[in-house]
Amino acid sequence: MNPKTLLRLALLLPAIAQAASAAPKKDYIVTGSKPDRLFLIDAAARRVVGDFKIPGAHDWVGTIVPSPDGRIAYVLVNRMESIAGIDLGTGKEVFRADLSSPGERVKCLFAFDVTPDGKQMLVYEVPVKLGLSEYQVEPTRFAVFDTNAGLHAKPVREFPAPRRVHTLLTDKNDRTFFALGFDLYEYDIATGKRLETRGIRHWDHPGHSRPDLLAFWPVSEPTGIFAAPIYSTRTPAAGHGAPVPVTSLMTLNLRTGALAYHDVEKTSALIFSTVLSPTEPAAFGAYTQLTKIGLDPYRVEKRVDLPHTYYAVLVSTDGKEVYTAGAMCDVTVFDADTLAEKANIRLPGCGDQSVTSPRLVRR
Amino acid sequence: MSTTSKAENTGGWALAVLLGVLAAGAATRAVAAVTATTGPADGATLVKTYCGACHLPDRQGTLARIGDERKTPEGWVMTIFRMQNLHGLQLPATARDTIVRYLADTRGLAPSEAAPARFALERRPNVPDLALPGDLQRMCARCHSAARIALERRDAADWLKNANWHLAEFPTIEYQEGARDRHWWREASTKVPAELGRLFPLHTAAWAAWQRHAPIDLAGRWLVRGDEPGRGTYWGTAEIRRTAADEYRTTYRLRFADGQALDGQSHAIVYTGYEWRGTATLGDRSTHEVFAASPGGRRLSGRWFLDDHAEIGADWDAVRAGRAPRIVLVSPRAIRAGTSTRVTIVGEHLGGRVDLGAGLRARVVHRGRTSLVLQVDAAAHAAPGYRTVRVGGANAADAVAVYDRVDRLDVTPAYAIARLGGGKIDPVAAQFAVDAIEEIPGPASKPQAVHLGALPVAWSIGPFDAQAAHDRDVDFAGRIDSRGRFLPAGAGPNPKRPFHADNTGNLEVIATLPPGAAGRPTAVVGKAHLVVTVQRWNTPPIY
């Protein structure tokens, strides 16, 4: 490894130091499936060690947000209308927010997160008023919940939100959070004030068309940096010839707020979601293929066909293994270096995972 | 880029197909009994009873939403199905049928309003959709046809309510591909309803005039002609009897050009004064009829199709029998120079001299009440081109064509979609037909196309492009039969294909007319593009 790479690595790796000091903890994969299941998988042992039923899931198990201490998994269920907090040790429901109320149907469009101190939950709410003979779209909003509120949690605060937000990510400082939608917005959790707007649709990326980003996988572990594929077309440098479709990588450092876009390749395969390696300048992307993206320079380093479509991808805390999940009913383990398949873990009951967002927790 | 599978919408279309109940004999009588004793007033009462709990009346007594919309009978069926499916409305089938009749009669479309999108009601496969102006197409005709929209009338305020319902019911709409590049809701709640209110308003002169229109009685004797792609031209007569207000029973005596009988019977309801919807048996097939009566009540045209396969069906055109001599059809429509051909002229009062124009000599073989069978000798040097056919006082311009060779085969549809079948879902076939064309020098020495119609061709399939050739789509996607009907393979992953891909394919459909039949040294080939794709999970009455 050259010195430049090492320097980059050092910047990328705040999580490693923490991980090292918490030696007894292990990597677990948390995932969910239809109709109401939540699984805790011991990654190294390749074993499902927790298999829980989420009450009132109504055949819908979506986004998963682990508490920062890895004890609770908050899961969007009930066709996006409820968030259930499940204790990953006991399987008991310890938190519940039912977003809808009589006359108002409220869905959370996949976007919610918990602050790093574990105390507050931020939920992107899409409400609709149900009239007798007509439905009325209401303005979207952010709702803040107290995670200690128990099984009948009600928002402690609400404030206006833009439409079409697809991901919420809390900042490492407990005071602000990011919303990804048309653009990247940063809000003050206490006041609801929008502090900053930076470009996504309106990115500053010369020579590129307006990009397309749709990320429903709020994964930033283990690096603390969120990464997502973003698509656009690039006008050839000389200014002639047809625009070329390009896959770029968006990274958002949740601690520093640094936002960056880097071109990866002339789009040759679709990538649904990505995760950054904690140990090398690389990202992994999943869909019908598993792609290893080098970050120094940005390029496709390796690409292998997957046994089937996977929407989600995770990487182990030591950076040695990659996990594909979030479709059908299995998790496949790959060597992060060679992308060779190492193991396959089948989920009991074989329910569909495809609307869930599997996560990696340390506990 | 692509959307995720999360961005799916639900459809859940069960079999709430219009007139479904009429299919069974017992149910038929039940409906007839109800309708014989009920009129529009009872429809109004039923609407109040079944819809009034949620749809409250305004000061004039008009029920909210229901009074703000006009649509086709199929449109009302779809709305009411949703009331049952999503809002828990409990509605017996007989009451539903009466309500649909009442609503279609009192809040329907004028014939001129429905005309541009009749193809959707007629379930014509592979016809291009209407094009809505500007952004509307992108905003609104992405999940379903533009025709579904163009077959409704509302003012901007109710179009806005419909937009509200869409986003409420399908919250991922604004995230989907084709929507997330814009502030979808901002457009859908402002520009879109305003524009739709202008294009398709509730109150129109056409509807006002149609409501004053004298009722049409369709009873009587009719001359019928039609064409079933892959099967050919048919003709004959229909005896229509009126059995109740806007209800008819019909007896058909029809046959194809090759002599095969297509006799049958139908039971039909006429909605909105002109929308004929029938359930019929034709030969051994159960069919639906979607016809429209002309405002004068002298013509009834549209399409019939198989109960369980709307993609298989035929054009239908009936004219009321009258007193004047008339030619409605000449079959076949093309005669090759230098041959002797049996030709049938269909019409009425066909007495007197027969003249098929230059180079054609006709001998009468048989004179029937509605047809005239001729043996026609075409001179070897008869000039190619159209001829006017005259029989006594009747004549029909360009009713028959003479040809000496075929220059081109147009395959229709030029672009088609077929769907794989499997599980509970039948495959959707694609039926192709040819129109053979000879090009002759026309006015100002521009070539003029003489359409010869369908000639017997050989059908085959090939890969549409290099990818399809590589993936051997031809071996997996299905097969085409000798009448030009493509029958798709089964759905689901196929272990014989790389990545266990499904049997979808990108094909070329090839019609070949051999050199002899084409009158030239080489065969004439015509091609169409066929995409074999996955199943559709719902089959709404209007796509």
Side-chain angles (χ1 to χ4, degrees), chain A residues 132-134, chain B residues 48 51-57 62-66 83:
Chain A
L132 265 183
S133 64
E134 69 179 276
Chain B
K48 278 205 200 89
C51 320
C54 303
H55 294 269
L56 304 180
T62 310
L63 299 188
R65 310 300 309 277
I66 299 171
M83 299 304 123

Side-chain angles (χ1 to χ4, degrees), chain B residues 310-402:
Chain B
E311 76 274 20
I312 305 299
D315 288 321
W316 173 272
D317 190 21
V319 289
R320 196 185 277 279
R323 295 216 169 88
R326 166 159 60 176
I327 296 168
V328 299
L329 175 79
V330 178
S331 173
R333 57 174 289 124
I335 300 170
R336 191 169 175 188
T339 63
S340 179
T341 310
R342 191 56 62 101
V343 172
T344 304
I345 299 180
V346 181
E348 53 183 342
H349 312 297
L350 297 175
R353 214 175 77 82
V354 179
D355 175 16
L356 270 64
L360 297 179
R361 271 213 341 259
R363 179 167 56 82
V364 174
V365 178
H366 174 77
R367 261 182 218 272
R369 192 172 163 203
T370 54
S371 68
L372 187 58
V373 181
L374 311 171
Q375 190 66 31
V376 177
D377 296 325
H381 297 292
Y386 292 119
R387 301 289 192 279
T388 294
V389 173
R390 293 188 175 81
V391 182
N395 66 68
D398 297 351
V400 70
V402 174

Side-chain angles (χ1 to χ4, degrees), chain B residues 26 33 43 138 157 265 282 383 439 475 520 530:
Chain B
R138 244 334 246 302
Q265 261 150 46
L282 274 180
E439 290 191 331
D475 299 340
R520 38 169 62 244
L530 169 65

Side-chain angles (χ1 to χ4, degrees), chain A residues 223-286:
Chain A
T223 59
I225 301 172
F226 168 82
I230 180 164
Y231 297 93
S232 65
T233 56
R234 187 173 53 207
T235 310
H240 45 71
V244 182
V246 178
T247 308
S248 312
L249 192 70
M250 173 204 201
T251 50
L252 174 64
N253 187 316
L254 300 181
R255 191 170 46 89
T256 65
L259 171 70
Y261 298 106
H262 291 280
D263 292 357
V264 172
E265 64 161 342
K266 183 178 149 195
T267 306
S268 61
L270 207 57
I271 298 171
F272 257 67
S273 64
T274 48
V275 66
L276 285 190
S277 164
T279 51
E280 54 176 328
F284 301 93

Side-chain angles (χ1 to χ4, degrees), chain A residues 207-223:
Chain A
H208 289 252
S209 68
R210 291 211 170 160
D212 187 34
L213 169 80
L214 188 68
F216 289 131
W217 302 267
V219 175
S220 60
E221 64 273 13
T223 59

Side-chain angles (χ1 to χ4, degrees), chain A residues 45-290:
Chain A
R46 324 284 195 226
R47 228 160 39 81
V48 176
V49 294
D51 173 357
F52 312 121
K53 285 200 155 114
I54 307 168
H58 286 129
D59 202 29
W60 205 94
V61 180
T63 312
I64 298 174
V65 173
S67 64
D69 60 11
R71 282 187 39 236
I72 299 166
Y74 298 98
V75 191
L76 185 62
V77 293
N78 186 21
R79 300 187 185 104
M80 310 187 228
E81 290 177 50
S82 302
I83 294 171
I86 305 294
D87 185 309
L88 288 172
T90 63
K92 269 187 116 156
E93 188 176 39
V94 292
F95 173 88
R96 177 109 185 169
D98 292 313
L99 309 177
S100 297
S101 55
E104 192 186 53
R105 186 164 73 198
V106 181
K107 302 211 182 223
C108 163
L109 263 285
F110 306 103
F112 75 102
D113 204 0
V114 170
T115 50
D117 62 12
K119 290 184 181 154
Q120 301 182 85
M121 178 187 289
L122 288 137
V123 179
Y124 177 63
E125 294 193 339
V126 180
V128 173
K129 214 164 104 195
L130 305 179
L132 265 183
S133 64
E134 69 179 276
Y135 290 171
Q136 251 169 35
V137 170
E138 296 189 301
T140 44
R141 62 194 181 219
F142 295 118
V144 184
F145 291 83
D146 182 345
T147 53
N148 278 330
L151 296 180
H152 304 283
K154 295 281 168 243
V156 290
R157 269 193 313 288
E158 289 178 350
F159 42 89
R163 294 207 76 90
R164 217 216 70 175
V165 163
H166 47 85
T167 306
L168 288 196
L169 294 162
T170 50
D171 199 330
K172 289 293 169 234
N173 61 20
D174 294 319
R175 286 195 307 277
T176 65
F177 70 93
F178 297 105
L180 279 69
F182 269 91
D183 286 306
L184 174 70
Y185 314 100
E186 188 169 5
Y187 286 87
D188 184 309
I189 297 177
T191 64
K193 211 177 133 205
R194 192 191 288 185
L195 304 174
E196 200 179 9
T197 301
R198 285 181 285 167
I200 296 180
R201 281 290 290 168
H202 304 98
W203 64 353
D204 180 20
H205 203 38
H208 289 252
S209 68
R210 291 211 170 160
D212 187 34
L213 169 80
L214 188 68
F216 289 131
W217 302 267
V219 175
S220 60
E221 64 273 13
T223 59
I225 301 172
F226 168 82
I230 180 164
Y231 297 93
S232 65
T233 56
R234 187 173 53 207
T235 310
H240 45 71
V244 182
V246 178
T247 308
S248 312
L249 192 70
M250 173 204 201
T251 50
L252 174 64
N253 187 316
L254 300 181
R255 191 170 46 89
T256 65
L259 171 70
Y261 298 106
H262 291 280
D263 292 357
V264 172
E265 64 161 342
K266 183 178 149 195
T267 306
S268 61
L270 207 57
I271 298 171
F272 257 67
S273 64
T274 48
V275 66
L276 285 190
S277 164
T279 51
E280 54 176 328
F284 301 93
Y287 185 44
T288 53
Q289 286 146 320
L290 177 63

